[in-house]
């Protein structure tokens, strides 16, 4: 049975690959995959380096950043 909330920790991108679009492509595919699984909420605790990426995908700060799908 699919959960309607997805929580993930420890996603990391090596510094030399940041700001090259890889993380955005991965995040877009992950969101699509989770939507197909029936997930409606994603929660995460971003690093300061990753915060901009998640904000770009509609995450808001609630102590944990999250977005509803």
């Amino acid at each position: 049975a699919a959960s309607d909330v997805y929580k993930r920790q420890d996603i990391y991108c090596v510094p030399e690959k940041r700001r090259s679009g890889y993380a955005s492509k991965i995040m877009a595919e992950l969101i699509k995959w989770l939507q197909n699984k029936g997930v409606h909420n994603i929660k995460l605790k971003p690093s300061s380096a990753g915060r901009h990426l998640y904000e770009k995908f509609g995450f808001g700060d609630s102590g944990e950043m999250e977005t509803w799908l």
Side-chain angles (χ1 to χ4, degrees):
S3 171
D4 63 351
V5 176
Y6 178 79
K7 190 170 183 175
R8 179 70 192 143
Q9 294 177 324
D10 302 328
I11 298 173
Y12 180 78
C13 185
V14 294
E16 57 271 14
K17 297 295 182 183
R18 292 179 188 158
R19 312 298 276 173
S20 59
Y22 293 113
S24 291
K25 289 176 185 173
I26 291 168
M27 195 67 200
E29 288 300 316
L30 177 62
I31 288 171
K32 210 170 13 176
W33 183 79
L34 291 169
Q35 286 175 317
N36 288 335
K37 296 289 183 186
V39 173
H40 299 289
N41 183 259
I42 304 169
K43 293 186 179 189
L44 52 86
K45 292 182 182 177
S47 66
S48 57
R51 184 171 290 276
H52 174 74
L53 170 71
Y54 300 116
E55 288 172 341
K56 186 169 87 170
F57 281 94
F59 286 79
D61 194 353
S62 63
E64 293 181 312
M65 292 183 77
E66 65 181 293
T67 190
W68 286 89
L69 306 176

